[in-house]
Amino acid sequence: RDISIAIGGSATNDGGIGCIRALGGKFLDENNQELNGCGEDLMKIRKIDLSGLNPLIKECKFTVMCDVTNPLCGKDGATYTFGRQKGATPEIQNDLEAGMCNYRDIIKEQFDLDMDNIPGSGAAGGLGTALMVFLNGTLKSGIETVLDLVDFDEHLKDVDIVVTGEGRLDGQTVMGKAPIGVAKIAKQFDKPVLAFSGCVTKDATACNREGIDAFFPVLRNVVSLEDAMNPANARQNMADTAEQV
């Protein structure tokens, strides 16, 4: 009955309505007809009916592990931050955002909750919102939960340098992702933090303000994605870069 759900890396931008519909919830349109529960339905929602929600849910405690702090709507919300990664064109993003705003307003009206003011509500295409509102889930930092499990603080005591990284360091990294979680705890122990990644973007400099002292892309020349992802090449690139650092 104690359920932890790690969210992120989803291919959806439906506000979590597909998940809740699978559990028995209903999202109704202006004609009181049940919607299918996909992204394009967000604009059509006029009422949310939880009367058919699986009764076992009331016996459960849900912990939602999340590594981003994005709100549900707006320029930093689910759609405009993550939608393009999932294949949404600018036109589709605008439609999805309009639907997400409608969804937000319905939730505010029925449940008296403003999800734009709750960090992490936009995670996994808005699934964070659905789990918090409809399942009474408690949002926790995914990386902090994992670091607690592996006694990260204890490991830090005897190290000289902390090394972290991810596939791409960018402006989204500072929104609660793993490298920043590592860096923040390392800084509590005054440890220098270095990060390695496949590539970096211009806005990755935000990472320096959040505890990463220096970051380094491991690619040394322009290559195809296939070459970059080849395990032998990746291993050699990482070793060569680390040696020079």
Side-chain angles (χ1 to χ4, degrees):
R1 295 294 188 272
D2 191 355
I3 300 173
S4 293
I5 306 174
I7 62 173
S10 77
T12 60
N13 203 91
D14 67 356
I17 63 175
C19 168
I20 300 305
R21 186 170 182 265
L23 293 172
K26 293 182 180 180
F27 297 86
L28 308 174
D29 65 14
E30 61 185 354
N31 297 315
N32 222 34
Q33 297 297 307
E34 185 177 0
L35 296 164
N36 291 324
C38 56
E40 68 176 358
D41 288 337
L42 292 169
M43 178 56 83
K44 305 172 186 175
I45 299 174
R46 295 295 179 270
K47 182 181 177 182
I48 300 169
D49 179 5
L50 300 181
S51 61
L53 211 57
N54 191 313
L56 290 175
I57 289 172
K58 292 181 179 179
E59 301 177 19
C60 297
K61 172 191 173 186
F62 294 94
T63 299
V64 185
M65 297 168 61
C66 174
D67 283 334
V68 299
T69 56
N70 301 75
L72 185 61
C73 302
K75 65 180 181 63
D76 295 323
T79 301
Y80 287 131
T81 303
F82 306 115
R84 185 168 61 86
Q85 300 173 354
K86 302 171 184 182
T89 63
E91 293 77 19
I92 291 175
Q93 287 183 59
N94 291 336
D95 289 343
L96 285 170
E97 176 67 5
M100 203 69 82
C101 290
N102 174 64
Y103 179 49
R104 172 202 62 199
D105 293 343
I106 297 292
I107 289 174
K108 191 172 183 178
E109 180 183 324
Q110 281 195 229
F111 299 91
D112 197 27
L113 293 169
D114 186 355
M115 300 313 292
D116 279 349
N117 292 324
I118 300 179
S121 59
L127 178 59
T129 285
L131 297 176
M132 285 189 278
V133 174
F134 309 126
L135 303 188
N136 200 30
T138 301
L139 204 68
K140 289 185 66 176
S141 164
I143 184 59
E144 287 181 11
T145 303
V146 172
L147 293 177
D148 286 343
L149 288 171
V150 299
D151 293 325
F152 187 61
D153 291 18
E154 287 298 315
H155 291 296
L156 276 179
K157 291 179 179 178
D158 299 319
V159 304
D160 299 307
I161 298 172
V162 175
V163 179
T164 184
E166 64 178 341
R168 184 177 79 172
L169 284 170
D170 55 26
Q172 290 183 26
T173 303
V174 302
M175 295 177 178
K177 289 194 173 181
I180 298 302
V182 168
K184 285 185 173 180
I185 295 179
K187 285 305 171 189
Q188 294 175 15
F189 292 82
D190 295 321
K191 305 293 183 179
V193 181
L194 304 180
F196 295 90
S197 64
C199 66
V200 300
T201 61
K202 287 185 178 181
D203 55 359
T205 52
C207 297
N208 296 134
R209 299 190 293 271
E210 298 295 331
I212 294 178
D213 295 291
F215 54 80
F216 306 89
V218 302
L219 290 180
R220 298 186 159 210
N221 55 292
V222 178
V223 298
S224 68
L225 180 61
E226 184 179 7
D227 285 342
M229 296 292 285
N230 179 283
N233 294 342
R235 189 177 297 112
Q236 191 62 53
N237 286 335
M238 177 68 86
D240 291 344
T241 305
E243 179 181 50
Q244 292 304 313
V245 171

